Amino acid sequence: MTTEPQATVNDPKREFTLERTRNIGICAHIDAGKTTLTERILFYTGMVHKIGEVHEGTAVTDWMDQERERGITITSAATTCYWPVHQTEGIQKIYDGEKFRVNIIDTPGHVDFTAEVERSLRVLDGAIAVFCGVAGVQPQSETVWRQANKYNVPRIAFVNKMDRTGADFNNAVNDMRVKLGANAWPVLIPLGAEDQLKGQIDVVNQKAILYLDDDAFGSKYDVVDIPDDLKDMAKEALDNLIEAVADVDDEIAEMFLEEKTPSVLELKAGIRRATIAHKLVPVCGGSAFKNKGVQMTIESVIDYLPGPLEVPAAKGVDSHGEEVHAPAGDGGQLCGLAFKLWADKFYGKLVFTRIYSGKLEKGTQVLNPRTGKKERVSRLIQIQADKHEDCDVIYSGDIAGIVGLKDVKTGDTLAIPGYDISLEPPSFPEPVISMAIEPKSKGDREKLSDGLVRLSDEDPTFTVRTDEETGQTIIAGMGELHLDIICDRLKREFGVESNQGAPQIAYRETITADANGEGKLVKQSGGRGQYGHVVISMMPNERGKGITIENKVVGGNIPKDYIPAVKKGLEEGLLNGVINGSQVIDVHVDITDGSYHEVDSSEAAFKMAAIFAVKEVMKKAKPILLEPMMQVEVTTPEEFQGDIMGDLNRRRAKIGEMISKGSDSIIASEVPLSEMFGYVNNLRSMSKGRAAYSMEPSHFEEVPANIVAQITEQK
């Protein structure tokens, strides 16, 4: 492992040092209040002068027309704000009188746009995980939590909607511990609940923060002593917090064993160390919509989440495969990650980039190790959601947009020429749904093709291919809504009206028995012929292990030079199964024997022989068809529970647990994706618009025999 030598950490010209920079994401289940929280943060930091509302279509970070119409976040929006830390009487803070720069990415909650969360978490130093005070931990909350774990992102939790009927802060915290395995401990407890929500209890400072009734914007609050009837509860919360920090932090543990009570600043420093080390999750409670508790949550971001210097250095590999580290600092060699592309109507291709080390100036040449090409940066853009400001330089730890780069894909490293490093790109799930698309007008064929290419460049979970048999253009994505948004964007941004076929499920095939067989290609038509002969055995692989191939040929019956061609043929043959032509997964193939002809054998002949062998053996190996199963959670008033469960059963659902929360029932189930088309409209009509559902991919499962017959007939 090599590490670039550390140089100047903070350039004298930068306005905010790395110590005073925070890169955070706001992520959660759909409709937990991420965008509403972001809007309040922008308002309280002075970046906007009027609070935008999701339901009114005026939220700053929901700037696409589709987002404002649907009231959901579709694309992760980057924005920057500034937070001055002022000492408040009765509240001690780690930092005093300093102004911080906070780069925020508001991510989508809908599972169809999970790639936006994935790539955002890849470049962030910390996150606020938002939970609904009524529903607690929901399915997509678990998904984003796993994504944050995957990229080692420290986080704090904000339990939102504490003004709603049925809100239960303690239940939400317990949910985090049980469902997420989080070591979650309250630092800001809601004072009151439902329509009696008044503010927060600051556990560390043992003070109450009361928001003034005459200030609808929640800008003014008083710090007062905790009411007498809540003092015991607050003291118990502090004792529990100290004990929890002592369990994971050596310095606080030492004080705890010596029966010393840590000071406010000592405890805060311990919470900070434990949070950055992924050993503790501080929890804040409040209501973003009712403007209660947001400012103190921002203070918690400053106090407990890391700056770029406090997270491990960016890790990559050099051209020899050796591990390389790029530590944060303006004086180091330039290294950044292009984590998102956007087709902007003013700038063309806008490349969202996180700079890890060094600084990037306008006009600089950067090297893309994937292509080996150098490109010049023509403009640098500071991004405020849909508003852009030109700048001359971006520093280590910054997130900004680059204009002028043409041959760039999501996940590419951008480095100074001569710096041999490739950072690990974010990973993305495979599309689960596809459909045919064509322009309504033949003259729009080129515009459609151009639009699809640009949209697939932006979104790694959106793919485009041409069906070789039919010549149709097939688009694939993460769900109905995902493809619906793509078609809408084609119309609005590229001026292409299109016709779409019925959505098609991404079925898979596998085998359930061992089988042996061979494939042979023998052609003689005058002159040199074609000869290839491959014998294989095939067996089921462990679920999720994919395709594995092993060469077990002995005695040179297939010369070593032809083995790569045989493997390529096997891989190609497994792209199309024998039931309905779906991709084959989770099989192991042994190449056991074969024969060759000294004159007529060639790589092409052995490749074709391997394809023939796959088709023959697949038929013997008891193939089955697999369909994607979705984890579906429906939240409904109890009066509609029976109808909704009956409908789910008709959709071949496997009903899991049912939970009552207040007057609502939560039904968890696994349902085949093929049965979920148009579900939202059915659910609305069954529940008079009062039920909601969430859905995310779970696993593949065997299709019942009677359904297989229907699917193959449709083919």
Side-chain angles (χ1 to χ4, degrees):
M1 182 190 83
T2 59
T3 300
E4 181 202 329
Q6 182 62 291
T8 310
V9 172
N10 289 301
D11 188 287
K13 292 181 182 174
R14 74 180 292 157
E15 187 179 357
F16 294 90
T17 63
L18 281 160
E19 293 84 354
R20 290 191 288 124
T21 300
R22 299 286 182 270
N23 290 311
I24 65 163
I26 298 183
C27 46
H29 185 90
I30 190 168
D31 201 32
K34 299 174 298 299
T35 302
T36 304
L37 177 61
T38 307
E39 288 300 315
R40 269 55 182 178
I41 292 174
L42 294 179
F43 177 73
Y44 296 129
T45 54
M47 297 310 293
V48 296
H49 301 293
K50 180 179 183 295
I51 294 177
E53 300 293 4
V54 175
H55 60 278
E56 292 174 0
T58 55
V60 172
T61 53
D62 281 355
W63 55 271
M64 291 171 65
D65 291 339
Q66 294 91 338
E67 293 177 312
R68 291 182 166 170
E69 287 166 10
R70 289 170 169 82
I72 61 168
T73 302
I74 292 167
T75 180
S76 51
T79 188
T80 299
C81 58
Y82 307 94
W83 184 252
V85 176
H86 298 305
Q87 284 298 353
T88 308
E89 192 174 338
I91 304 281
Q92 290 188 55
K93 303 172 184 178
I94 293 178
Y95 301 94
D96 183 8
E98 298 180 54
K99 197 174 186 182
F100 282 73
R101 171 180 168 145
V102 183
N103 298 315
I104 302 173
I105 297 184
D106 173 30
T107 66
H110 198 287
V111 66
D112 283 19
F113 310 107
T114 190
E116 292 289 331
V117 185
E118 190 84 20
R119 58 176 160 202
S120 299
L121 287 170
R122 170 65 183 82
V123 297
L124 292 168
D125 302 325
I128 303 175
V130 184
F131 299 90
C132 173
V134 180
V137 174
Q138 297 164 279
Q140 194 64 12
S141 315
E142 296 182 52
T143 303
V144 296
W145 197 266
R146 285 195 301 270
Q147 288 171 310
N149 286 341
K150 176 176 163 185
Y151 294 114
N152 294 317
V153 178
R155 68 219 79 146
I156 64 173
F158 180 67
V159 178
N160 192 24
K161 303 191 178 184
M162 286 306 302
D163 60 304
R164 289 260 305 271
T165 303
D168 188 328
F169 181 74
N170 291 331
N171 183 57
V173 174
N174 191 55
D175 250 13
M176 289 179 222
R177 294 171 182 163
V178 173
K179 293 184 179 177
L180 305 176
N183 191 21
W185 292 92
V187 293
L188 290 163
I189 298 173
L191 182 54
E194 301 181 354
D195 59 347
Q196 296 300 308
L197 182 68
K198 294 183 174 66
Q200 293 166 309
I201 291 172
D202 185 328
V203 175
V204 180
N205 284 285
Q206 288 290 287
K207 290 288 182 181
I209 295 126
L210 296 179
Y211 288 83
L212 305 183
D213 291 334
D214 60 353
D215 177 16
F217 294 116
S219 301
K220 298 174 187 172
Y221 54 85
D222 286 334
V223 177
V224 299
D225 289 333
I226 296 170
D228 290 341
D229 60 329
L230 295 174
K231 279 185 177 175
D232 289 346
M233 181 274 288
K235 179 67 171 66
E236 185 183 355
L238 176 61
D239 292 342
N240 290 340
L241 179 62
I242 293 171
E243 193 172 338
V245 178
D247 283 342
V248 293
D249 181 77
D250 291 343
E251 290 185 36
I252 302 299
E254 200 173 308
M255 292 183 192
F256 188 75
L257 291 171
E258 293 172 1
E259 297 187 357
K260 290 180 184 173
T261 302
S263 69
V264 168
L265 293 183
E266 285 170 338
L267 179 55
K268 281 198 168 188
I271 295 170
R272 179 179 182 79
R273 288 190 297 270
T275 304
I276 293 171
H278 309 283
K279 294 176 179 176
L280 191 84
V281 178
V283 185
C284 313
S287 167
F289 183 60
K290 289 295 173 72
N291 310 315
K292 288 181 170 68
V294 176
Q295 295 96 317
M296 291 299 140
T297 302
I298 306 172
E299 296 280 4
S300 296
V301 166
I302 302 298
D303 277 347
Y304 305 132
L305 290 181
L309 292 173
E310 294 166 293
V311 294
K315 189 165 63 176
V317 293
D318 61 18
S319 52
H320 305 293
E322 293 288 317
E323 193 172 285
V324 187
H325 285 183
D330 298 331
Q333 297 188 79
L334 172 68
C335 174
L337 185 76
F339 67 95
K340 177 174 174 170
L341 310 184
W342 190 254
D344 189 271
K345 55 188 173 186
F346 299 113
Y347 301 110
K349 185 185 282 188
L350 189 60
V351 181
F352 288 67
T353 307
R354 160 74 192 262
I355 303 297
Y356 284 100
S357 68
K359 59 184 180 182
L360 177 60
E361 297 183 52
K362 190 168 66 175
T364 301
Q365 265 201 345
V366 294
L367 173 72
N368 183 341
R370 180 182 60 82
T371 62
K373 293 179 181 175
K374 298 173 188 173
E375 293 194 67
R376 189 170 298 281
V377 173
S378 59
R379 293 175 82 172
L380 295 173
I381 309 292
Q382 282 292 352
I383 301 154
Q384 296 289 352
D386 63 334
K387 295 185 175 64
H388 307 133
E389 297 170 7
D390 281 82
C391 58
D392 295 325
V393 59
I394 51 177
Y395 296 97
S396 172
D398 285 352
I399 292 173
I402 298 176
V403 179
L405 307 182
K406 292 181 174 58
D407 192 5
V408 175
K409 289 185 177 177
T410 297
D412 280 353
T413 299
L414 303 175
I416 198 78
Y419 187 19
D420 188 6
I421 186 170
S422 292
L423 300 174
E424 181 190 353
S427 58
F428 300 105
E430 290 289 317
V432 296
I433 187 172
S434 63
M435 67 184 185
I437 188 170
E438 64 180 20
K440 283 187 177 175
S441 157
K442 285 186 179 177
D444 282 345
R445 195 169 293 280
E446 199 170 310
K447 279 166 73 177
L448 176 71
S449 175
D450 180 51
L452 291 174
V453 167
R454 285 171 69 178
L455 291 173
S456 64
D457 276 349
E458 284 177 19
D459 185 349
T461 59
F462 172 64
T463 61
V464 184
R465 66 178 176 85
T466 302
D467 188 299
E468 291 181 7
E469 290 180 17
T470 63
Q472 287 180 305
T473 300
I474 307 295
I475 60 175
M478 297 306 296
E480 274 186 291
L481 179 61
H482 189 192
L483 296 185
D484 184 36
I485 297 291
I486 291 288
C487 296
D488 198 20
R489 288 188 62 193
L490 282 170
K491 180 180 173 183
R492 298 191 195 209
E493 295 172 32
F494 299 94
V496 180
E497 297 265 5
S498 60
N499 294 319
Q500 299 97 40
Q504 301 294 313
I505 304 297
Y507 291 102
R508 297 285 185 265
E509 293 183 32
T510 194
I511 58 173
T512 57
D514 297 0
N516 305 310
E518 62 181 345
K520 202 175 230 183
L521 177 69
V522 183
K523 273 190 181 177
Q524 197 68 49
S525 54
R528 184 173 175 178
Q530 296 269 4
Y531 185 91
H533 176 214
V534 178
V535 180
I536 63 170
S537 62
M538 193 183 289
M539 59 214 70
N541 222 342
E542 285 177 45
R543 184 63 61 89
K545 201 166 181 184
I547 304 293
T548 52
I549 299 171
E550 196 173 339
N551 176 26
K552 291 191 173 177
V553 177
V554 291
N557 288 355
I558 300 177
K560 283 184 179 176
D561 290 350
Y562 294 136
I563 293 297
V566 173
K567 287 184 175 178
K568 198 169 182 183
L570 293 173
E571 288 166 357
E572 202 169 296
L574 291 167
L575 289 175
N576 302 102
V578 294
I579 299 175
N580 77 331
S582 295
Q583 184 179 334
V584 180
I585 61 171
D586 299 335
V587 300
H588 176 80
V589 185
D590 286 329
I591 309 166
T592 56
D593 205 357
S595 61
Y596 73 103
H597 188 281
E598 287 190 0
V599 177
D600 292 347
S601 286
S602 65
E603 288 186 358
F606 270 103
K607 181 182 169 185
M608 286 306 300
I611 292 172
F612 295 156
V614 167
K615 300 303 178 193
E616 183 194 332
V617 176
M618 276 286 295
K619 289 171 187 170
K620 297 179 186 175
K622 297 183 180 174
I624 58 171
L625 191 65
L626 302 172
E627 62 184 341
M629 299 293 288
M630 309 302 284
Q631 187 178 324
V632 177
E633 186 177 276
V634 181
T635 303
T636 175
E638 284 184 353
E639 62 201 89
F640 306 116
Q641 180 182 317
D643 289 345
I644 287 169
M645 284 184 65
D647 181 69
L648 285 171
N649 284 323
R650 283 190 291 276
R651 295 172 188 270
R652 298 193 281 127
K654 291 180 181 174
I655 304 292
E657 63 178 349
M658 287 182 289
I659 303 167
S660 290
K661 282 196 175 175
S663 59
D664 284 348
S665 286
I666 298 171
I667 306 164
S669 62
E670 288 176 355
V671 192
L673 175 61
S674 59
E675 303 288 347
M676 290 301 291
F677 292 136
Y679 183 61
V680 64
N681 293 328
N682 277 46
L683 187 64
R684 279 178 189 150
S685 62
M686 280 187 292
S687 66
K688 300 178 182 172
R690 291 169 63 196
Y693 84 103
S694 66
M695 180 172 78
E696 62 178 44
S698 177
H699 62 282
F700 280 91
E701 203 164 282
E702 184 177 353
V703 181
N706 61 319
I707 307 289
V708 173
Q710 294 173 23
I711 293 167
T712 50
E713 281 170 22
Q714 288 169 7
K715 277 292 216 189

